[in-house]
Amino acid sequence: MSFGDEHGHGSDPGRTTDDSFGGMGQTRTRLPDGGGGDGFGGGGRRPQRNSRSLIAVVGVVVLLIAAIAFANRGSGGDTDASGSGGSGDRAAGSEPTTASGVKPVTGKSGGIPSGFAKDEQGAESAASNYAVALGSDGMFNRDSRHGIVDTVYTPAAAEKLKVPQDKAYSPEFLDKLGLDPNGTAPTGSTFISRTVPVGTKVESFDGGDARVSVWYTGLIGMSGPDSTDPVSTTWKTWTFDLQWTAGDWKVAADSQRDGPAPVPGDIAASTADEISKAVDEYGGFTYAR
């Protein structure tokens, strides 16, 4: 998912950079080709086969950016895992992100929207909903993470991501976030990780391949009486390379960059109890263009 940049969700625990929503839970946070990797330039087309292993490793780095930033918050640093993948200028004459009234999906798979249309709007809706899933707190538990990865990524990308991700989400890493080895928060506390899409943009579209950028805000942190890392927000742009696979859009690779970020408001921060209650009471959405 990606955000203190904390979210979106991160650079793998093995990454030496000290930066920030992994962002989701959601917060969920990058992927191999044929798997979903982060950090490669180019259009929306899939990378060459001989680059897939590298992309898979980079993907793991992207998925953990927000979480790592959260664990090392305050140290600063660049949160762009790839150095590329940022959203470019909108092409002249292209349509803005506006509601169309068209229902985005016809069903769900593992609790994640599925059955997107094979057109630009379908690709935008898929990217938004996948950002939510990957930025969720479900990414911090092995079983739920595997389910999310199998649903969101192409089969080849998912297979290459699991082992590296399992190593990245180590007990030591989870402990830095205040979680136990199963990704569970201490009694009386609530771990929050969510991705909230603000808008989408089609970077490129060519039949069965699409590159879509999702501008989002993320929430990540531990809400509780003894928390030393309260829930904070982040702003990022998550770019997905999507492939039409088995009748639906799937992620082959993705990357993130910071911003655009608005000027912080002057509303007083809520208490830990208020934040925990809000997370329990307010569910998420199915996103459409």
Side-chain angles (χ1 to χ4, degrees):
M1 164 268 132
S2 266
F3 307 133
D5 206 66
E6 324 310 309
H7 217 146
H9 301 256
S11 146
D12 80 339
R15 179 178 177 181
T16 58
T17 191
D18 290 325
D19 59 336
S20 81
F21 162 155
M24 171 180 186
Q26 265 205 59
T27 348
R28 294 136 47 11
T29 117
R30 307 128 124 58
L31 328 124
D33 155 80
D38 142 70
F40 56 77
R45 298 174 183 274
R46 72 193 72 173
Q48 296 300 312
R49 292 178 180 277
N50 61 8
S51 67
R52 290 182 176 177
S53 295
L54 174 60
I55 293 177
V57 174
V58 177
V60 175
V61 173
V62 177
L63 284 171
L64 293 173
I65 286 185
I68 289 295
F70 171 63
N72 298 292
R73 63 198 305 169
S75 61
D78 184 1
T79 58
D80 186 342
S82 67
S84 64
S87 94
D89 294 333
R90 178 175 293 280
S94 61
E95 293 299 321
T97 301
T98 55
S100 67
V102 177
K103 187 174 181 179
V105 294
T106 57
K108 287 190 174 183
S109 176
I112 300 174
S114 64
F116 299 95
K118 191 179 181 181
D119 55 23
E120 292 191 13
Q121 179 175 323
E124 288 180 275
S125 296
S128 296
N129 284 286
Y130 292 166
V132 170
L134 292 170
S136 71
D137 54 22
M139 290 296 290
F140 296 84
N141 172 271
R142 181 180 182 279
D143 292 340
S144 62
R145 179 172 62 251
H146 285 192
I148 292 171
V149 170
D150 283 334
T151 300
V152 171
Y153 291 99
T154 62
E159 184 173 349
K160 292 180 179 179
L161 279 174
K162 290 178 184 176
V163 172
Q165 283 182 353
D166 289 345
K167 291 181 179 179
Y169 286 93
S170 66
E172 294 74 21
F173 172 67
L174 295 174
D175 183 63
K176 293 179 69 176
L177 298 176
L179 304 171
D180 69 14
N182 293 316
T184 302
T187 301
S189 296
T190 302
F191 178 64
I192 300 168
S193 180
R194 285 194 180 186
T195 300
V196 184
V198 175
T200 60
K201 178 174 71 172
V202 176
E203 305 285 357
S204 63
F205 185 85
D206 184 13
D209 294 287
R211 166 167 278 198
V212 178
S213 289
V214 180
W215 179 34
Y216 73 87
T217 183
L219 303 175
I220 190 169
M222 187 72 74
S223 179
D226 301 320
S227 175
T228 58
D229 293 294
V231 180
S232 60
T233 60
T234 186
W235 289 87
K236 288 180 175 289
T237 298
W238 203 336
T239 300
F240 294 93
D241 284 326
L242 303 172
Q243 293 178 5
W244 187 256
T245 304
D248 209 348
W249 290 110
K250 299 294 180 180
V251 180
D254 67 312
S255 62
Q256 292 198 47
R257 70 177 182 85
D258 292 337
V263 175
D266 58 1
I267 299 176
S270 299
T271 64
D273 286 343
E274 290 177 310
I275 293 296
S276 296
K277 183 178 181 180
V279 170
D280 290 337
E281 294 181 346
Y282 294 88
F285 297 95
T286 294
Y287 290 86
R289 189 182 75 77

